[in-house]
Amino acid sequence: MASLFLPDPAGMLRLQADLHDRLHLSLTHLLTEVIPPEPDEVAAITEGLGRLRAQFPEPALFALHMALRDSLLAENAEAFALARRRFAAWDFRDHPSPGPVVSPLAADRLGSARAELIARALADDVGLTTSLTAPPPEATEAMAATIARADALLALAAPDWRAELRLLVSEVFLAVNGGADGRQGFAGGSSFDLFGAILMNPLHRNDLAHVLMTLIHESSHLRLFCWHLDDEVVLNGPEETFRSPLRKQPRPMEGVFHATWVSARMAVCGRAVLSTAGNALSDDEALRLGKDVDQALATFRDGLGIVREHGRLTAQGARLVADASDAVEDAALERVRAG
């Protein structure tokens, strides 16, 4: 039986096709059937749905779907009408070249509608990413260069991980929060309602090891979201909270499960890079990556104990945990940092 944990580019291509079909069907229903569009919007919506059918949607269209869905559930007719007008006026872009496009989260770069939808999809429930602004231009340029280096390193040392990453992440948005210097609060973020994109904070830390691990961390959240499109992975209710390996405050079991699983992916991918990168990593970069792999491994083991003690898992959830544990064991992951 194929692992649900290890990178699977061919399986990800099939999943992309399924997601594409689901989004097109749902948007068609929301835009044309739930509340009939205004007569002057019909032609533009029909054309837009045709454009959507022709290529895999950009992340902001997942965010637009969220806006339509949430406004309908809230019975907010004005917000629904605004979201529908935005689709009718959508500026469909050419499909990006393979590999993530790095952009600051700025209206003058993305357009005001895109930037607003993206920021809303990334807003969390604890205030870490609810007030995002574009980073300084020099920080954007430096982070984009490091992301390019991390992509090249994966191509050399872990090509399957790179192939899956490129299918999961087409855009990286760079932003800082409202803290005193922009460093506080978060290193990265992701949301299924912005599928295909991740958020990174270039003022948090910008070195090759950290950027590589953040790319794997956030893309692994996107991968795990896909494993419970139709089936739950945990049965614990959201009101049940537990100690979390990555946050100070208690979290629902689904959050603990996510943190545990993505940390295992970081450790296994990082170990693969350390094993095969050779002189593509400087001594200092290898040391930093080793420390990050050690931390990811410790986080996985801590979270695994919480999940095993308190988690009520579905068959799918149990298999995801078992496959993660097997992969960690197969990678012979003890402490990988010298000294």
Side-chain angles (χ1 to χ4, degrees), residues 241-253:
T241 58
F242 307 90
R243 181 177 64 82
S244 172
L246 288 179
R247 292 190 184 178
K248 293 180 181 179
Q249 68 272 31
R251 302 181 72 188
M253 180 53 64

Side-chain angles (χ1 to χ4, degrees), residues 65-248:
H65 175 268
M66 178 188 76
L68 287 162
R69 179 199 67 211
D70 289 356
S71 60
L72 188 65
L73 291 173
E75 299 182 353
N76 188 333
E78 184 178 349
F80 183 86
L82 172 61
R84 189 166 57 194
R85 286 196 302 272
R86 283 178 163 172
F87 183 86
W90 197 258
D91 174 24
F92 283 84
R93 304 180 299 185
D94 291 336
H95 201 281
S97 58
V101 175
V102 181
S103 305
L105 183 50
D108 61 356
R109 177 70 175 268
L110 301 169
S112 58
R114 272 190 179 85
E116 181 183 330
L117 289 164
I118 291 163
R120 183 171 180 268
L122 288 168
D124 65 4
D125 57 357
V126 294
L128 298 179
T129 58
T130 54
S131 182
L132 297 173
T133 59
E138 61 273 15
T140 295
E141 183 178 351
M143 179 64 88
T146 310
I147 290 171
R149 281 200 65 205
D151 181 66
L153 180 62
L154 285 172
L156 171 71
D160 282 351
W161 288 92
R162 190 233 196 181
E164 185 178 85
L165 173 67
R166 285 179 159 228
L167 291 168
L168 286 164
V169 179
S170 61
E171 296 193 73
V172 178
F173 297 116
L174 304 182
V176 299
N177 63 13
D181 61 2
R183 299 173 191 271
Q184 301 172 15
F186 77 96
S190 52
S191 168
F192 183 71
D193 285 317
L194 194 65
F195 189 84
I198 64 174
L199 170 70
M200 295 179 70
N201 180 350
L203 297 185
H204 180 82
R205 182 179 152 194
N206 181 17
D207 60 77
L208 182 61
H210 172 73
V211 168
L212 174 65
M213 290 288 92
T214 302
L215 288 170
I216 298 302
H217 178 124
E218 299 302 343
S219 65
S220 293
H221 278 302
L222 296 178
R223 189 67 185 93
L224 184 51
F225 288 136
C226 295
W227 283 129
H228 50 96
L229 278 175
D230 298 311
D231 300 303
E232 299 292 339
V233 295
V234 301
L235 298 176
N236 303 75
E239 73 285 352
E240 301 177 69
T241 58
F242 307 90
R243 181 177 64 82
S244 172
L246 288 179
R247 292 190 184 178
K248 293 180 181 179

